[in-house]
Every structure is written in C-alpha cells, then in structure tokens.
Amino acid sequence: MKTKIFVLLFSLFIIINCYSENNLIERINRYSGKNANDLITYLDSLSGLKSYYADYIFNHMSDNDLASIQVNYIDHQLNYAIKTIDLPYTKQIPEEYFLHFVLPIRVSQEPFENWRGVFYEELYSQVSQVETINEAILIADLYYQEGIYFKQTSGRDQGPITSIKRGYGRCEEMMILQMAILRSLGIPCRPASAPYWSFTDSNHVWTEVWTPQGWKIVPEAYPEKYKKSSWEVDRAKKAPLITTEAFGTYDSPLSLAQSQFDTKLNISDVYGETVSTLVTVIDQDNLPVEDAEIVYYATSFGGLFNLLDTNSDENGQARVDFRPTSLFVTAGKDGKSGYGLINSFEDNNSITIQISENQIIDANYVLNFPLDSSSSKDFGVKAKDKDYIDKLTDLANKKRDNRLLKNSKGIAFLKNYPLPDKNENKEDYLTRRDKFLEKCQDLAGNADNWLYIDDKISSYSNHELVRKLMIDLVLNWDIKDLIELPDTTAIEDLLLTLSDSYTYYSKDIDYDLFVSNVINNPFGSAPFPQTAWQSDLAKVTKELRAPDIAQTMKNIDLWLKENIIFDQNPGWSYFGGSLTPIQLINKKYLTKSQQIYLRWALMQNVGIASRWQGFLEYYDGNEWIEVILEDKNENNDTPPVKRELIEFELEVISDGKKIQAQPWGNFLISSKSQNGYLTYDWFDVEETEEKYLVKFYAETGVDKYIQGYIRNKNGDANLIIKPLSQNTKKLTLSFVTPKSSHENKIDWSENTLANINQLLSQNKVSEGKTLVMILHNQGNEPQERMLEQLLAKAPDFAKKEVNILVYSQERLISKLAQVTQENLIYINGEQIITEDISLDNYPVLFLLDSDKIISSANGFDLDLINYLHRLVD
C-alpha cells in the first residue's frame, strides 16, 4: 500500500516540480565540477521511487554537498533508504516524516560516510522481528550506546563511523551517530538543540524520535514497560530556545526560518511553558521599520553569541516564543542600529528599539535565568522492568568499554620512540615521551594503522626527520584528525608531504616554526576532514612552489585567480559538511571563508608558515606579511582595509575585588556591523606583572567593543558592553555579581554530613578548604561534563590552596586513578549519601572550610565549578 502511495506522490511531484529541473541541472553544473556529468547521467537513468527520492534529495541539497557528492555514495544511500520501507514498523510512518527525517543523506555537518548500509546490515536481523517502532528504537539505542560515550571534543563534527572508531564524542557527535543508526532503520528522528544555554558557557544537542504518540526524547520512546526520562528533559527547562532542523522546505506553524535547503523550527514549548516576546523597531521619526535585522543573543563563553536572527514585518515587529529568560537584542537596517534587553523575569517581554546612525552600545544589564529543577518524568515502570533495562544498558556500556580497551595500544609506540640526545634534559625528554604515548593511547580504532607506519618509518632514507615529524604531528594535531585519516597510505602520504615541505624551505623556516605554524593550522580547529587530501593537493602545489617564498605566494595568488570564482550568492544550509581542499577546487565557486581555507591549505602543502589574527599572514623568511585577498569578480578599486594593532590594559573587578581577566571566560572583543550585529573578533591577551594586556586590531569604519559578564551560582549575569577606540589605553570592567537565587535542593541529613566529615578526617584534609565531589554508582553525561570541568579547574583551586576530593560510590573510574594533580584525591568507596536521590541529582558537591559547609549543591550545573572557584575568595 505504501509503495502505491509513493508512486502516486512521485507522479504529483513530477508535475509540480518539473519547473525546478533546469534550476537543479544549473546548480549541479555550477557546483559539482568533474562529478557533474556523472550525476546528471545518473539522475536521468532512474525511475519510480528511486527517482522520486533522488530528485527530492538533490533539489534540497546544499552547495557544499553538490561539490562533494558522488554517484556511488548517493546510490548507496538511496538503496538502503528504500530497504527500510519493507520493515514491519515503518508502515505507520507518515510519508512527509520519511522525506524530511529518514531520507536525508546527512545528519548535520559531518563528513560523508557510508553509515546507512553498515547499521542496517548490523541490526536488520533484530529489527525485522519487531512490530512497533518503539521496540526498534530500543534496539537502535542499545547499539548506539555500544558505540560511543560522552567526552568533550573540539572543532568540526566527526562522522558516525569515525565516532565508533574513536569511541567517544561531544553531544553533537553523539547525536549524529544516534540519528544515523535510527535513520538506517527507517526511524524518523531530528536534532533537538539548545544553541546556547545562556545561563552557563555551553550548549547542547540531543535526539528526538517520532512515534505514533508524537516526538519524544529517545528513552521516553522505549516500549511502554521500559520508558524512562533523560537529564536533557529537565535541563532543557533552563534553555532560552530549543530548535530543530528539517531537511528541505517543511511547512509548519513552528517555523522560524525556511529555505530551499532546510527549515528551522521552534520546539521550545515541548519542554515547558514559553513566553511570547515582541520586538518593535522604529526609526527616528517613530515610524515602524520593515525588514530590519533583529538578532537575539545568549550570554556564553565570555560574551554574546547569536541565538536567533529574524526580520521585522511590515509593522516593524518580530514575535518569538522563548522559554523564560533574559536576552540582549540588536536591530538595524541601512546602516542604522539600536539595542535593548528582554527580561521575562521582570515582565519585560516587549521592547521597542529605535535605530539611528552611529549609535554606540554602552550597556550594563543584569540578566536572569530560571532556577534549576529536578522533575524528571515518572513513567511508573515496574522495578523488575527497570532493572532489566538498566542491565541491558550496563551490558552495552561494557561492550563499548571492552572494545576500546582492546584498541588501547599506546605502550606499543614506545619501541620506536627515539632515545634522548646526550645534551637533552632527561626530565623534559620523559615528559614529552609520556605525552606522546598518552596521545597514542587515544588513537583507538586507528591505532593499528599508525603502528604500521611507526614500524615502516625506519626504512625511509630520511627516517630521523619523518620520525620527528610523526611525533610532533601526534602531539599537536587534534585526536579527531589523527583518527579520521582513513588508512596507512593516507598517514604515510601525509608524513612524506610534510617532510618534503619542511626540507624545501628549511633555510627560511626553522623546525620549531614549521611545527607551530605549518603542522598546526591557524584557525583553532582543522577546517577540513582528513581524507588523504594532502597528496592529491601536492599535484597542484608542486607546480606552484618556487625557491623564493614570496614568489610562491604570487604563484598561489595567480592560480587562485585562474581557478576559483567568488560566489556572490551562496546557499547556506544546516545540512552541509566541511569540504576538503580538493572538493573546494572541484566546487570552484567559493565563499570568502572557503577561499581563505583553500589558500591556507595550499600554503601548508608547500610548507609556508601562516597565522591568523583576524586575517591571514605568512612568513617570508624574515617577517610576517598579510595575505591580501583579491578576486577578479570583486571591485579591485576598493581601498585595502586599514588596521592598527591596539594594546590596552584590562582590569576586571568583581564585587570590589580585582580578579583574573579570562578571555572567552569573562570577556571577549567583538565588532559591530552597520546594522548592529555583534560578532566576536580575534584578540590576544598577555599577562605581565599582574597586568593583563589585551591586543586587537582597530579597523577603519568598524566599531569595536569589549563584552564581559560575571555570574552567580544560578547563572544570572551582570553583562557589560563598552566601546573601544584607538585611544583606549586602560579599561576597567567592574562587575557586581547578581544576588544568587539558586538554593540547595536537599536538606542534608546528619548521617550524610557525618560521612562527609569522616571522609575529610580519614584523608587528612579536615583543616582548610576542601571541595568534595561525590559521584553516583552509575555514570552519565552530566557527571562526566562536571567532572571534566573540575579536573581542568584543579590547578586553579590549587593556587587558592583548596584540596579536591572526588568520591565515587561503588564505581571505579580508571582515568581518575591515573590523575597526578597534587591537590586532588580520588577515592572509590561505599555509598555515603544517605538520601534516596536519583542519578539525575548527581554529582553532589560540598565546599567546606574545615568542617563548616560554605556551599553545597547537587545535579548538573556547568557554571557551578566556576562559581565555587570564585566563592573561595
């Protein structure tokens, strides 16, 4: 029956969308490069359902994906998507949900990987035997838990197969893997995203699945007898905005933004009550401004970040439903701008922003956020059923841990590690070697490929240099990139390309500079997936490299002008992955940022040192020189940007006391566009003689600002924004911490307090200040997140002479047993919290001065560690 429906829909699709065929062919010819003819031929060869699906995907595909998609990949995706139609439980799935939430070939911005066939074949024997989608969701989720656990990572997204290979990932990468598994089994799913929490320096994303009962967080969609809540449900109540993305144009009253490629939906009300907000934009004559740019900002990572942008209607208004929150807002049009604050806790849900030219932001606000809550849903699951599902989950976790343990081969890299030079400091040598072996321990599923190359290096004529490069590559590259390299050939080609690049310019660029500014990328995280593109790019760069670095840069400029075109009307999509340099060349029509990335890749490939300071620079052997970005499609009469490096002293005061200036922690530097949009900028901080010197570039015609905030325990923030100028020599941010409205949720019993005091006494930390973190006998992501933050903050607590005691109740945590931080004690023991509190209420923290409790808290709160660090003073 479903097949007949699809055939009818296919016919209708052909009639309605025939007009778009020429547009699709034009886009394929424009962006698909050498793959264009094969793709067009492939699409022409299809018929029936497969043709319908292929046309749907291609008509909504991003520019980036058109540049990288190949026939064999799309055919693999289509074949396995069609297979899911015959699974017993998929008959109940609405067709539109299949198109938007099962069929898409990617989940987010991860690289393409052939995940659909892998997961389908792995789980088909199980899901083909179940009748309900809820049963299939449980099977998929247990398999997902075998693949990955939470650990904070950086940079662009990794693919689902890489996540299993690596064994861990941040929340977005966990979501990508989970959704890939679900979609491979025909289960509609979508990302639920808190773009920024706003009350703390973080964000989060998780998975929702469709069931006949509606959209649910995964464990809530289990079969009725096993349903359970998730920590995200409670935490989402503090998020100002929760959104999801649908592939293609998706009609919904929840739509926030819609394009040919994707649709953003506001699903905040799924997680609790929302507040309707109204922003009205007027000009200096008090008349409404239509189509003004309105941007709502969250407070995170030291300043303001874009939470949502929209445009005013014909009445100059924009209405958006948010969770109860505070939001800084800017508005602007045609070079005129203004700003204001929404604070629903003070019934300030409606604001009017009057825009004008040259309006300066000088703001000092208190932002309020909801209190923490622990109100996870109770589904009334019977004890025996809860015990059963907990055992299945525990088994999945053990399978994952055992697999990762087998892949832990760091010590095997010791056999080829070079002996110390006779003049080398022994302690420095051992420290560096230990860091290398520790990094190799994390190579996980790629360890064998690296070990093969590790053994092969000794056969190279320049083996000493290649060995040195391999060690520095492992030490300096993100582990994500090291694991992503697909095979031994890719690793070997990379090392040989680097050794050739270093040798060629070794007279101009010494080895240390080569490591810091050639091996390392200048953008913080690698902009490209590691797919062995270096050797392919070398076929281009070998014709461009000249003995003189300046001449090589001229050759690169000329090559880019001849082969790359500036894309003046790019189509951005949430569903569009990062491209490798080879794919960028294939795309040809590039955005400004893509041109910068490609230029840098060409420079790295030939061995020219580069750095990013808000603009790209290269080292010519004597000095750093700015790379002038020009394009034959742009107006070359435009005068070059004039900028001046400004340095000023920054003083940060909190409640009358001078505190450390923390870039991306309590301040950042930003620019303001002509329409008021605030974006963060490059800046640098140097600490000398207890002074904090901030450096940034002032540019002609660009307004610069410093933003900063201080939070209380609940996350409420005192936000300050001040203008900067070329005359700024010293600036003070003087914060007043908002009064904390966060209270402990539990009145600790005498038995628990006695256990805590006994714990301090037994470990000889009963005098002075001690921070105690107590973990549940089961692990979960919130505990991992807060533990990771505590470990990172341990040295800062040591400077304040605060001991840290981490107590794990009836659960051994191996990574803690290896921590050597002097002020940190780890103990694995019996239950000491006597209150009957759930896993979601952990970790439990006590800050004590001798036996006196300064503060205590329980449950997930990412700003709590920072708050306790401030509270010590």
Coordinates of all heavy atoms in Angstrom, one line a residue, residues 275 277 323-326 342-349:
V275 N 7.3 32.0 26.8 CA 6.8 33.4 26.9 C 6.9 34.0 25.5 O 7.9 33.9 24.8 CB 7.7 34.1 27.9 CG1 7.3 35.6 28.0 CG2 7.7 33.5 29.3
T277 N 7.4 36.9 23.1 CA 8.2 38.2 23.2 C 7.9 39.0 21.9 O 7.6 38.4 20.8 CB 9.7 38.0 23.3 OG1 10.2 37.4 22.1 CG2 10.0 37.1 24.5
R323 N 11.6 30.3 26.1 CA 11.5 29.9 27.5 C 11.8 31.1 28.3 O 12.4 32.1 27.9 CB 12.5 28.8 27.8 CG 12.3 27.5 27.0 CD 11.2 26.6 27.6 NE 11.6 26.2 28.9 CZ 10.8 26.3 30.0 NH1 9.6 26.7 29.8 NH2 11.2 25.9 31.2
P324 N 11.3 31.1 29.6 CA 11.6 32.3 30.5 C 13.1 32.6 30.5 O 13.9 31.7 30.8 CB 11.1 31.8 31.8 CG 10.0 30.9 31.5 CD 10.4 30.1 30.3
T325 N 13.5 33.8 30.2 CA 14.9 34.1 30.1 C 15.2 35.6 30.0 O 14.3 36.4 30.0 CB 15.5 33.4 28.8 OG1 16.9 33.4 28.8 CG2 14.9 34.1 27.5
S326 N 16.5 35.9 29.8 CA 16.9 37.3 29.5 C 17.7 37.2 28.2 O 18.6 36.4 28.1 CB 17.7 37.9 30.6 OG 17.0 37.9 31.9
I342 N 15.5 42.0 26.7 CA 14.3 41.3 27.0 C 14.6 40.6 28.3 O 15.6 39.9 28.4 CB 13.8 40.3 26.0 CG1 13.3 41.1 24.7 CG2 12.8 39.3 26.5 CD1 13.0 40.2 23.6
N343 N 13.7 40.7 29.3 CA 13.9 40.0 30.6 C 12.5 39.6 31.1 O 11.8 40.4 31.7 CB 14.6 40.9 31.6 CG 14.9 40.1 32.9 OD1 14.3 39.1 33.2 ND2 15.9 40.6 33.6
S344 N 12.1 38.4 30.8 CA 10.8 37.9 31.1 C 10.6 37.7 32.6 O 9.4 37.6 33.1 CB 10.5 36.6 30.4 OG 11.4 35.6 30.7
F345 N 11.7 37.7 33.4 CA 11.5 37.6 34.9 C 11.1 39.0 35.5 O 10.7 39.0 36.6 CB 12.8 37.2 35.5 CG 13.2 35.7 35.2 CD1 14.0 35.4 34.1 CD2 12.6 34.7 35.9 CE1 14.2 34.1 33.8 CE2 12.9 33.4 35.6 CZ 13.7 33.1 34.5
E346 N 11.3 40.0 34.7 CA 10.8 41.3 35.2 C 9.7 41.8 34.3 O 9.5 43.1 34.2 CB 12.0 42.3 35.1 CG 13.1 41.9 36.1 CD 14.3 42.9 36.1 OE1 14.3 43.8 35.2 OE2 15.1 42.8 37.0
D347 N 9.0 40.9 33.7 CA 7.8 41.2 32.8 C 8.2 42.2 31.7 O 7.4 43.0 31.2 CB 6.7 41.8 33.6 CG 6.1 40.8 34.6 OD1 6.1 39.6 34.3 OD2 5.7 41.2 35.7
N348 N 9.5 42.1 31.3 CA 9.9 42.9 30.2 C 10.0 42.1 28.9 O 11.1 41.7 28.4 CB 11.3 43.5 30.5 CG 11.9 44.4 29.5 OD1 11.1 45.0 28.7 ND2 13.2 44.6 29.4
N349 N 8.8 41.7 28.4 CA 8.7 40.8 27.3 C 8.6 41.5 25.9 O 8.7 40.9 24.9 CB 7.5 39.8 27.4 CG 7.6 39.1 28.7 OD1 8.6 38.9 29.3 ND2 6.4 38.7 29.3

